[in-house]
Amino acid sequence: MKMNKNGYTEITPNDRLLNLNLRELIAYKDLIYMYVKRDIVTMYKQTILGPLWFVIQPILTTVMFMFVFGNLAGISTDGIPGPLFYFAGIILWNYFADCLNKTSGTFTTNQNVFGKVYFPRLVVPISVTISNLVKFFIQFAIFIIIYIVYSFKGVGIAPNWYALLFPLLVVMSAGLALGFGIIFSSMTTKYRDLTFLLQFGVQLWMYATPVIYPLSTMPADKQWIFQLNPMTSIIETFKYGAIGNGVFSWSWLLYSLIFMAITLLLGTIIFNKVEKDFMDTV
Amino acid sequence: MPTAIKIENVSKQYRLGVISTGTLSHDLNRWWTTRVLRREDPYLKIGSVNDRSAKADSEYVWALKDINMEIEQGDVVGIIGKNGAGKSTLLKLLSRVTKPTTGTIKYRGRIASLLEVGTGFHPEMTGRENIYMNGAIMGMTRAEITRKLDEIVDFSGCERYIDTPVKRYSSGMTVRLGFAVAAHLDPEILVVDEVLAVGDAEFQKKAIGKMQDVSKGEGRTVLFVSHNMTAVKNLCKTGYILKNGLIDYTGSIENVIERYLDGQDERSKINIGEIKERQGNGLLRFTDIKFIDESGQSKETFEVGEPLRICIAFKIENEALKSATSRIDIGINDMMGNRVTWLSTYMYSDTVDLKKGNVVFEIPQLLLNEGTYNVNLFSQIDGDLADWICNVAKINIVFHDFYKEGRVIPERQGCLVTNFILK
């Protein structure tokens, strides 16, 4: 699709490989806004606790992790109080996992709408990433409350300058989830095999990421294997900045950033190619 | 007038059957030939004409083949054709839901499609929120919607419910709201596909009126797909007939409709038992229909007021068939596709004597006005559709001194002749 100088829009079977069409996406910014609003407004309609569920969910998970991994399995938290340690890992990981799970179903869950009206399909996964951000920030606020409570109790934790990297870490998680999500959603329109892989893949991925254990408990010469996982340095940097414990390295963070950029680029290329005629195969 | 839409050599190929490992091998083969060997797609050369009822001889079918159209700005164009002729595929390509296999489409301005109204409605959101959602999906900005909000609410006639979740709406109200948003899009090109089949009579009138306003003022272009010839005739100036994915005919709307209706005539000349375009489980199959006059003669042209017997013959799949309920209906339509009247065994009994193999409807006095009418046959056994054929036969009716005064009914005074006297 392109607009030529006479004001004609042209529909042709083939497109350039990378046709981002950012201008078109920006023209639909109100639609992104509406999708985000819809997601948030309708998520807890007809519930009594409403948005409180945003908070209850990670708190219960933290309690369960403390019991199972902390007490039963006895996995170290690097001397950090359990609630703080687990909560930090869970909120960032959940943001990533939720975004990935939801964006990976973009084509299959929206085929009704996509089959009737044209708009840039990227609007949907982008709005999912944004609406999950709202949930993340509410949880982040709870994290800060827990944090303050613990620092008054005199546990001896203090944020450092690396905490300024938080916005970048959130953007990186969003980018990775979006990139992987649109790759998966594009690849599952015709062959659904990958949906099964993704379902338990995300669960396994959490265990390969230092969410419930600190990376420092791994042997120093094997840590690089874990850091090949782009989420590892994101979560570790987050814990390092907030609590001061964790493995931080600029080069691995840069690695994750490049990883994210490539995933996002690749995802956009595949997504753009698939969105043109996925209705015929979905 | 400048060109609004230009369609050049557009074709669309679909694959028949389900997606499975067989598809994967085709995909790999296609990828190998086009990407590695840099040759033409091997599957583009094959593919059969899109005849729904014929047995498939290829796994690929051309839903549209080499379509060329040039539509001027401000034209209101009707697109007609039988089910599966490619009408909706064409609209899908235009509204960019899917891309053409070959060819290019150029258009100027914004295309809004009313393929189905109310897209993106979320049942949990209120009417107002859904207006914004739906409008944004159709490409309106929030400011634009806010500006037109009052007009939209007013047009939909759902003001009282506007802050109630849409899940509490009746289906008619949902459609009204959806259409109201679509009608206020102000696109340069409007694509309409049979939406007028929904809503009550009052709303349909409003909708047609709105479409006429859209097409008359401000030089908008409208593409209208419908089976309702009256609506097409009222709205459109020119038209296209699509047949098996090809353009069969194009011209002024009168010529197009005439030709389309002539095409339906071919049907009545072939044996009813062999018609392929029928639906149902086949437990019962119609084999013949005859119109018999007073003297026992079979004929196709009757006078107004004449007695008429419609004899329908059928055979049943299984002689031992025992059914709790069965019925046979005759639907009579005018040439524009509007239902004129309906006769059914159901009005007298829950069952038809299936062993007899025929049923006779006797009309003591035929009170249809002059014209040609299409006859549809329908049968149901135990609540399931057994056989259903549209336009199975035609009956011509001429007016001949029904009131015994040598006077005739002027043209366009309805399709019903009333037996009355003057006191």
Side-chain angles (χ1 to χ4, degrees):
Chain A
M1 208 279 316
K2 57 179 183 279
M3 196 96 124
N4 67 16
K5 35 186 188 302
N6 307 328
Y8 279 102
T9 310
E10 204 170 309
I11 307 173
T12 51
N14 297 306
D15 242 336
R16 277 176 300 138
L17 193 56
L18 184 63
N19 187 359
L20 276 178
N21 238 324
L22 272 181
R23 198 190 305 161
E24 200 187 17
L25 204 56
I26 291 167
Y28 276 88
K29 62 179 187 307
D30 282 347
L31 183 56
I32 299 182
Y33 171 85
M34 283 313 297
Y35 261 111
V36 171
K37 191 177 166 195
R38 188 186 88 169
D39 278 354
I40 294 166
V41 168
T42 59
M43 195 176 292
Y44 293 110
K45 275 261 166 109
Q46 281 207 2
T47 60
I48 296 165
L49 295 178
L52 263 183
W53 284 109
F54 287 146
V55 179
I56 297 171
Q57 212 184 346
I59 289 180
L60 285 180
T61 319
T62 303
V63 171
M64 200 193 73
F65 279 7
M66 279 170 64
F67 178 68
V68 176
F69 300 111
N71 286 5
L72 290 184
I75 296 172
S76 138
T77 56
D78 234 3
I80 302 162
L84 213 51
F85 178 83
Y86 291 121
F87 209 85
I90 286 167
I91 56 170
L92 201 56
W93 175 262
N94 272 0
Y95 173 61
F96 171 75
D98 286 351
C99 287
L100 178 53
N101 275 327
K102 271 188 96 180
T103 50
S104 67
T106 304
F107 284 122
T108 30
T109 50
N110 290 288
Q111 46 177 305
N112 268 334
V113 177
F114 288 179
K116 282 165 201 155
V117 190
Y118 173 83
F119 53 86
R121 308 312 192 197
L122 262 180
V123 160
V124 176
I126 287 177
S127 65
V128 167
T129 331
I130 297 174
S131 62
N132 271 312
L133 210 53
V134 174
K135 188 166 127 187
F136 172 78
F137 282 132
I138 294 175
Q139 295 175 346
F140 189 71
I142 302 296
F143 174 72
I144 290 177
I145 293 171
I146 300 177
Y147 192 92
I148 292 170
V149 169
Y150 270 98
S151 47
F152 272 116
K153 279 167 80 182
V155 183
I157 41 167
N160 51 48
W161 286 110
Y162 292 103
L164 292 178
L165 287 171
F166 284 175
L168 178 70
L169 298 179
V170 176
V171 170
M172 280 166 72
S173 312
L176 270 173
L178 184 65
F180 276 113
I182 58 181
I183 290 177
F184 268 98
S185 79
S186 311
M187 289 168 82
T188 47
T189 55
K190 203 161 186 180
Y191 304 106
R192 298 282 157 81
D193 304 58
L194 285 174
T195 28
F196 299 101
L197 178 71
L198 189 76
Q199 276 167 10
F200 68 89
V202 173
Q203 284 170 21
L204 293 185
W205 195 346
M206 189 188 85
Y207 293 105
T209 312
V211 175
I212 49 161
Y213 55 87
L215 186 61
S216 55
T217 55
M218 295 296 148
D221 58 332
K222 297 284 186 331
Q223 283 182 7
W224 66 273
I225 301 176
F226 284 85
Q227 281 175 316
L228 284 179
N229 167 5
M231 278 309 286
T232 299
S233 53
I234 295 178
I235 301 246
E236 280 294 310
T237 308
F238 183 69
K239 286 178 182 168
Y240 185 76
I243 313 167
N245 283 44
V247 179
F248 174 76
S249 115
W250 281 109
S251 44
W252 280 113
L253 195 63
L254 188 67
Y255 161 81
S256 292
L257 192 66
I258 294 169
F259 197 108
M260 177 208 86
I262 292 172
T263 317
L264 209 50
L265 188 72
L266 196 68
T268 320
I269 293 175
I270 303 178
F271 193 87
N272 270 330
K273 195 171 154 44
V274 169
E275 71 166 11
K276 299 275 162 15
D277 63 350
F278 88 99
M279 271 319 294
D280 305 341
T281 54
V282 73
Chain B
M1 275 288 182
T3 307
I5 308 172
K6 190 167 185 175
I7 300 177
E8 287 171 310
N9 299 318
V10 164
S11 303
K12 179 74 187 171
Q13 191 184 50
Y14 281 109
R15 192 179 184 283
L16 300 173
V18 295
I19 289 173
S20 64
T21 41
T23 335
L24 187 61
S25 72
H26 279 201
D27 282 351
L28 291 176
N29 188 5
R30 173 180 294 133
W31 177 80
W32 178 256
T33 351
T34 57
R35 295 281 150 160
V36 182
L37 300 179
R38 299 266 160 206
R39 274 195 257 139
E40 215 183 317
D41 188 340
Y43 298 107
L44 282 188
K45 288 180 207 149
I46 56 174
S48 48
V49 167
N50 182 22
D51 187 348
R52 176 161 41 85
S53 46
K55 196 175 180 301
D57 54 2
S58 161
E59 273 178 89
Y60 291 89
V61 74
W62 290 101
L64 288 174
K65 184 84 177 143
D66 298 328
I67 300 289
N68 285 288
M69 285 184 184
E70 197 164 340
I71 294 166
E72 280 180 7
Q73 198 185 319
D75 270 3
V76 184
V77 180
I79 296 174
I80 53 183
K82 285 191 269 183
N83 288 333
K87 304 179 300 275
S88 298
T89 307
L90 183 65
L91 296 196
K92 271 188 180 159
L93 294 182
L94 275 172
S95 52
R96 290 165 68 193
V97 165
T98 181
K99 66 172 185 182
T101 313
T102 63
T104 53
I105 300 171
K106 285 180 201 159
Y107 62 86
R108 197 202 292 266
R110 178 157 76 175
I111 291 190
S113 97
L114 302 189
L115 287 188
E116 193 140 341
V117 295
T119 313
F121 271 18
H122 194 291
E124 296 286 355
M125 293 204 298
T126 66
R128 191 189 305 274
E129 286 168 331
N130 270 315
I131 291 179
Y132 277 95
M133 186 73 217
N134 187 229
I137 283 184
M138 306 263 238
M140 282 201 262
T141 60
R142 267 190 298 152
E144 212 177 334
I145 303 166
T146 309
R147 205 169 57 237
K148 292 177 187 159
L149 189 66
D150 290 340
E151 239 180 292
I152 295 175
V153 174
D154 193 49
F155 186 84
S156 72
C158 300
E159 189 158 11
R160 176 187 281 261
Y161 291 89
I162 206 66
D163 289 311
T164 306
V166 164
K167 64 177 173 182
R168 309 264 176 251
Y169 281 33
S170 74
S171 53
M173 269 159 62
T174 319
V175 169
R176 278 162 166 261
L177 196 65
F179 190 88
V181 179
H184 290 83
L185 264 176
D186 293 335
E188 283 77 13
I189 301 167
L190 184 67
V191 172
V192 189
D193 189 2
E194 293 273 6
V195 280
L196 302 179
V198 289
D200 52 23
E202 175 215 339
F203 188 68
Q204 282 188 19
K205 216 168 158 186
K206 216 166 164 182
I208 290 194
K210 181 75 189 175
M211 278 183 53
Q212 265 164 344
D213 289 353
V214 164
S215 54
K216 274 181 192 138
E218 305 134 56
R220 298 259 174 65
T221 314
V222 181
L223 287 185
F224 184 48
V225 169
S226 178
H227 288 127
N228 184 330
M229 293 301 140
T230 317
V232 172
K233 202 171 183 174
N234 284 341
L235 282 168
C236 305
K237 287 176 221 143
T238 56
Y240 286 87
I241 302 177
L242 287 186
K243 193 175 177 187
N244 299 339
L246 306 163
I247 293 180
D248 186 49
Y249 184 78
T250 171
S252 74
I253 198 65
E254 286 79 15
N255 292 343
V256 164
I257 291 180
E258 198 175 312
R259 185 166 164 120
Y260 177 66
L261 297 176
D262 279 353
Q264 291 188 331
D265 277 359
E266 294 163 18
R267 170 70 65 73
S268 56
K269 293 184 187 87
I270 59 171
N271 190 337
I272 293 169
E274 284 161 15
I275 290 176
K276 284 197 186 100
E277 277 177 44
R278 61 207 303 160
Q279 291 176 46
N281 57 21
L283 282 180
L284 178 151
R285 275 175 86 88
F286 294 112
T287 54
D288 197 18
I289 179 166
K290 277 199 178 68
F291 306 107
I292 312 283
D293 69 4
E294 227 171 344
S295 61
Q297 287 279 324
S298 164
K299 59 181 191 181
E300 276 176 23
T301 305
F302 286 82
E303 281 173 22
V304 176
E306 221 183 311
L308 157 71
R309 274 184 295 147
I310 305 177
C311 302
I312 294 163
F314 55 85
K315 60 172 193 249
I316 46 176
E317 173 103 320
N318 175 2
E319 289 298 324
L321 182 72
K322 282 201 179 67
S323 61
T325 63
S326 55
R327 61 188 256 201
I328 289 174
D329 299 356
I330 302 174
I332 296 180
N333 291 357
D334 69 8
M335 293 309 283
M336 297 299 178
N338 301 313
R339 176 57 49 91
V340 173
T341 186
W342 177 78
L343 299 81
S344 173
T345 57
Y346 174 73
M347 301 317 293
Y348 285 96
S349 147
D350 280 340
T351 53
V352 180
D353 185 0
L354 293 174
K355 287 196 190 69
K356 228 171 90 185
N358 67 66
V359 57
V360 179
F361 293 78
E362 188 167 328
I363 303 167
Q365 198 183 28
L366 183 63
L367 291 177
L368 290 179
N369 201 355
E370 194 162 57
T372 304
Y373 296 86
N374 272 316
V375 180
N376 300 337
L377 286 179
F378 175 94
S379 72
Q380 221 178 29
I381 292 178
D382 289 334
D384 291 327
L385 180 61
D387 197 12
W388 180 21
I389 319 175
C390 292
N391 306 334
V392 70
K394 267 191 195 0
I395 178 165
N396 297 307
I397 292 163
V398 292
F399 188 84
H400 185 75
D401 206 13
F402 179 68
Y403 297 105
K404 311 285 180 222
E405 292 290 339
R407 293 164 195 257
V408 291
I409 299 178
E411 234 185 291
R412 291 173 60 185
Q413 295 305 324
C415 46
L416 206 66
V417 178
T418 311
N419 192 3
F420 71 98
I421 44 171
L422 211 56
K423 289 269 180 186

